[in-house]
C-alpha cells in the first residue's frame, strides 16, 4: 500500500497490518506489542505527572523537525518543566485518507527516534482514518506520564519578588521557521525551529540549582503569554528588559516582515526559569556552556505588584504586555 | 462568541477564555484548574493501566449518545476490561473553525456528566483549532489512567479449551444507530446505540466470578474481529453458535439493508467475557438480571485448535470467520 485507505481505520485486518508494519516496527515496545486495549505498567508509589497535547502543525515537515519529533518533544518538555522524569507515553494518530505511506513512515520513525532519545516508552496507541478533506495529512495526540522527581518543588507560590526570569536561548525560532516555510518566505539566513528535548538539561538544573521556583516552556502564545500567566497566578509583577531578550537577527527580521512580535511567538525548545537572584548568574553561565543554549540570558525580574507584565523598552519607556489576543496563527504546533 | 474562531487556538487570551468558560466550567477539577502544562497526581504503588483513543465519529450526535459521552465511555471501558479501576483522564480537543459554541458546550457537558458517572477525574487537557475544512466539527482524544485491581488476573494465556464465550447483550447496535442516522435510513423501530459505561458491571463480575480469564470490548471490527484476535493470540479455536448470538431484529434488519453483518459491527457497551464452563451459566444469569444486559448469552466455546474462529450456522454448516477486511466504515467511533 502506498497510501492510507479508509479501511486502514476499520479496526480489522488492514488496521492490524498498519499497526504491526508501521507503528510497532518503529516503536518496538513489549507492552505495545501485546495489542491490548490498555497497557499495564509498573509504577512506584509517589506522584504521577500527566500531560497531553494534540499536534496539528502545518506543514508537517519544517526546518528543524516534523510533527513526529514535535509530538514527542512537546509532551516530554511539558513533563520536564513540571519536574517529572518521563516514563510512559500514549499516542493517537488521526490519518487522512490518501496520506502517503512513505511520509507516514518517515514521521513515525522520527517520533520513535525522539522517544528513544527521551528515554520514554510508547506503551499504547490508537489509529483512526478520516475521509479526504476531514483532516490535513495527519494529527497526533501524545499523552505523557512521568514520575515526579523526589525533592523537586516547583509551584507558582514559591515565586518571590526579586527572583530573576531566565531563558535558555533565542525566542521565536519555531514560529519563524514554520511560518516562513508555510508562506514560502525566502530567508536571508536559514532559520531552523528550536524544537528540542529539554528533559536532560532540566534534570541537571533541578539537581544543581536549588532556588529554581518554577519552570514553563513558552510554546503557543510565546514568552509574553506565559509570563503574563505567571504574573496573574502570583499577583506579582514581572518586568522584562527588552534589550536582554535574546532573538536571532534573522528570526526577528523574518517575523517583522510578517508583522509579528517574537515575544508572542511559539517556541519548542525553550524554557523560562524563575530562580533566586543569588543563583541567576551561575544558572545563565551553566546554560550558556551547554551546546544549543549559548544565547541563554536573564531577561527580567519579579517585583511586588498586581499581576502585570511590563517591558522596559530599548528606548527607556515601559510597555504593559498582555496575553496574545486575536492573532490568527493556526497550526503552529 | 457563538462560533469557534482560529484565535481560540492561539494559546492567548481567547484560548484561556474558552478553557475557563467551557471546559473548566464543565469539568471542575482542582488539578485542571491549576492550568499547569501537566497534572501532578498521587498514585499508590502498583500497576498503572493506560489506554488512549481518538474519537472522530460522524455524526457527532447520534441516537443514544454523542462524541462526548462516547469519548469517555470508550476509554473507561478499555480500562475496565483490562481489570483496572478508572482514576484519571486527559482530554485533547481538535476543533474546527466555525464550530457552533452551543454544540461544543452540549458535547462538553455530556463528556463531563459521563466522566462524573464513571468516577474518573479529568486532570489535564489541550485544545487546538484548525481551519474550516481541516477537521469535521471536532475530534476528541481521551487517555485514561487506572489502577490495576488487586488480584485480578486477566490475560490471553489464562484462556483454556472448554472455556465459554459470553456477551452481555445484543450486538451491532452502535453501528446500526450511527450508520442509520448518517445515511438517513428510516427505522421501523427506533435503534439506539448501546454506548454505555461498563466499569461498574465489570467490577462486580471480577469480584464474584473467579474463572473469568479475559475480557475485551468488541468495538471497531465487532465481535468477529475481537474473537479472531483472541484465537490468534492463544492459538486455540473459538467456535460460535450463530443462533445464540443476540441481535435485536431491528438492528439485524437495518444492517442487512446496508449489506452489513452484525458480527463485524462496532459496539460501544458490550463486553466479551471468556470464563470457565463451571461459572458460565451463573454469569449469564447474573448479567441478565442487570437492567440493560437482559440479552446476555453464552455464544460459543474455546476448543483446541490453531487460531481459527468458526461459526456454526443456523443451517448446520460451519463457516470460517476472519477479521473485518477492507470494509470502508469510517468514523463509527
Amino acid at each position: 500500500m502506498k497510501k492510507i485507505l479508509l479501511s486502514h481505520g476499520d479496526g480489522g485486518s488492514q488496521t492490524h497490518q498498519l499497526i504491526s508494519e508501521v507503528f510497532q516496527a518503529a516503536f518496538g515496545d513489549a507492552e505495545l506489542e501485546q495489542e491490548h486495549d490498555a497497557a499495564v505498567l509498573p509504577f512506584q508509589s509517589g506522584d504521577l505527572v500527566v500531560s497531553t497535547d494534540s499536534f496539528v502543525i502545518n506543514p508537517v515537515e519544517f526546518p528543524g523537525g516534523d510533527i513526529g519529533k514535535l509530538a514527542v518533544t512537546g509532551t516530554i518538555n511539558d513533563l520536564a518543566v513540571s519536574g517529572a522524569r518521563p516514563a510512559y507515553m500514549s499516542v493517537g494518530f488521526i490519518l487522512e485518507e490518501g496520506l502517503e505511506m512513505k511520509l507516514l513512515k518517515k514521521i513515525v520513525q522520527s517520533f520513535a527516534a525522539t522517544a528513544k532519545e527521551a528515554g520514554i516508552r510508547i506503551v499504547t496507541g490508537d489509529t483512526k482514518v478520516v475521509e479526504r478533506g476531514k483532516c490535513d495529512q495527519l494529527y497526533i495526540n501524545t499523552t505523557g506520564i512521568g514520575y515526579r522527581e523526589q525533592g523537586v518543588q516547583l509551584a507558582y507560590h514559591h515565586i518571590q519578588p526579586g527572583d530573576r526570569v531566565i531563558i535558555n536561548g533565542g525566542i521565536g525560532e519555531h514560529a519563524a521557521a514554520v511560518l516562513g516555510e508555510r508562506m514560502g518566505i525566502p530567508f536571508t539566513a536559514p532559520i531552523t525551529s528550536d524544537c528540542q528535548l529539554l528533559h536532560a538539561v532540566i534534570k541537571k538544573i533541578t539537581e544543581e540549582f536549588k532556588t529554581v521556583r518554577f519552570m514553563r516552556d513558552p510554546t503557543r502564545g510565546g514568552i509574553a503569554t506565559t509570563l503574563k500567566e505567571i504574573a496573574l497566578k502570583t499577583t506579582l509583577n514581572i518586568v522584562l528588559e527588552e534589550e536582554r531578550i535574546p532573538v536571532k537577527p534573522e528570526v526577528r527580521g523574518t517575523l517583522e516582515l510578517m508583522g509579528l512580535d517574537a515575544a508572542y511567538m511559539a517556541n519548542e525548545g525553550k524554557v523560562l526559569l524563575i530562580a533566586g537572584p543569588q543563583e541567576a548568574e551561575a544558572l545563565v553561565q551553566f546554560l550558556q556552556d551547554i551546546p544549543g543554549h549559548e544565547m541563554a540570558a536573564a531577561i527580567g525580574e519579579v517585583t511586588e505588584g498586581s499581576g502585570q507584565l511590563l517591558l522596559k523598552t530599548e528606548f527607556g519607556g515601559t510597555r504593559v504586555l498582555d496575553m496574545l489576543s486575536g492573532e490568527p496563527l493556526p497550526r503552529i504546533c
Side-chain angles (χ1 to χ4, degrees), chain A:
Chain A
M1 296 292 179
K2 287 191 154 180
K3 288 174 190 277
I4 288 292
L5 307 175
L6 284 175
S7 51
H8 281 118
D10 66 7
S13 56
Q14 285 186 277
T15 306
H16 277 264
Q17 196 184 348
L18 176 70
I19 291 172
S20 133
E21 292 178 9
V22 178
F23 300 124
Q24 288 182 359
F27 298 155
D29 189 278
E31 185 59 37
L32 189 69
E33 282 164 13
Q34 292 293 312
E35 291 185 57
H36 284 294
D37 284 347
V40 180
L41 306 156
F43 200 86
Q44 305 159 1
S45 80
D47 281 341
L48 197 66
V49 182
V50 184
S51 182
T52 194
D53 264 306
S54 297
F55 297 86
V56 298
I57 192 167
N58 168 34
V60 295
E61 297 182 286
F62 51 85
D66 59 44
I67 190 172
K69 178 182 178 187
L70 181 66
V72 177
T73 304
T75 288
I76 294 285
N77 290 353
D78 279 344
L79 291 178
V81 297
S82 306
R85 189 149 36 98
Y88 306 120
M89 180 176 273
S90 71
V91 57
F93 289 94
I94 298 175
L95 308 177
E96 186 184 12
E97 177 189 13
L99 175 67
E100 295 288 340
M101 197 64 89
K102 198 173 152 187
L103 177 62
L104 176 62
K105 284 186 182 170
K106 193 174 165 193
I107 287 167
V108 167
Q109 292 295 344
S110 167
F111 189 105
T114 313
K116 193 175 175 191
E117 186 187 342
I120 197 162
R121 287 178 57 190
I122 303 160
V123 293
T124 191
D126 178 59
T127 308
K128 295 291 188 303
V129 180
V130 297
E131 309 93 324
R132 224 176 270 265
K134 301 295 181 190
C135 165
D136 191 2
Q137 297 192 305
L138 77 163
Y139 300 150
I140 302 178
N141 176 282
T142 46
T143 303
I145 301 172
Y147 300 88
R148 179 85 154 192
E149 296 274 10
Q150 288 295 325
V152 175
Q153 293 287 335
L154 299 165
Y156 288 119
H157 65 261
H158 294 314
I159 300 172
Q160 301 161 24
D163 284 351
R164 298 297 193 270
V165 179
I166 292 159
I167 190 151
N168 64 321
I171 63 169
E173 294 164 17
H174 178 70
V178 172
L179 293 173
E181 177 83 4
R182 194 191 298 172
M183 296 178 186
I185 292 176
F187 299 126
T188 44
I191 296 181
T192 303
S193 165
D194 60 340
C195 183
Q196 64 177 333
L197 293 167
L198 293 173
H199 66 292
V201 170
I202 287 174
K203 187 169 191 291
K204 277 192 206 160
I205 290 172
T206 52
E207 281 164 5
E208 301 201 13
F209 296 89
K210 296 303 166 194
T211 71
V212 175
R213 329 279 193 205
F214 194 75
M215 291 187 277
R216 190 107 182 228
D217 53 333
T219 53
R220 273 187 302 180
I223 64 162
T225 301
T226 300
L227 290 171
K228 176 65 182 176
E229 286 169 17
I230 296 173
L232 284 173
K233 287 278 182 188
T234 56
T235 61
L236 296 168
N237 281 2
I238 293 176
V239 184
L240 296 178
E241 291 186 55
E242 190 172 25
E243 64 187 6
R244 304 183 72 170
I245 301 173
V247 194
K248 286 181 180 164
E250 61 270 27
V251 171
R252 189 193 302 273
T254 298
L255 291 173
E256 281 178 358
L257 210 62
M258 293 185 272
L260 299 170
D261 180 348
Y264 287 97
M265 292 299 109
N267 309 279
E268 291 293 344
K270 293 297 173 300
V271 55
L272 284 165
L273 300 133
I274 314 283
Q278 66 275 37
E279 284 190 329
E281 203 177 317
L283 180 47
V284 170
Q285 190 58 58
F286 172 87
L287 282 165
Q288 287 176 347
D289 289 345
I290 302 170
H293 303 260
E294 294 86 351
M295 289 176 74
I299 61 173
E301 189 173 339
V302 178
T303 66
E304 299 282 358
S306 55
Q308 286 202 302
L309 176 64
L310 301 166
L311 181 76
K312 282 196 189 167
T313 69
E314 297 175 48
F315 309 107
T318 299
R319 269 172 57 206
V320 176
L321 299 185
D322 213 327
M323 287 187 191
L324 178 65
S325 177
E327 277 287 351
L329 288 171
R331 302 178 56 200
I332 203 75
C333 61

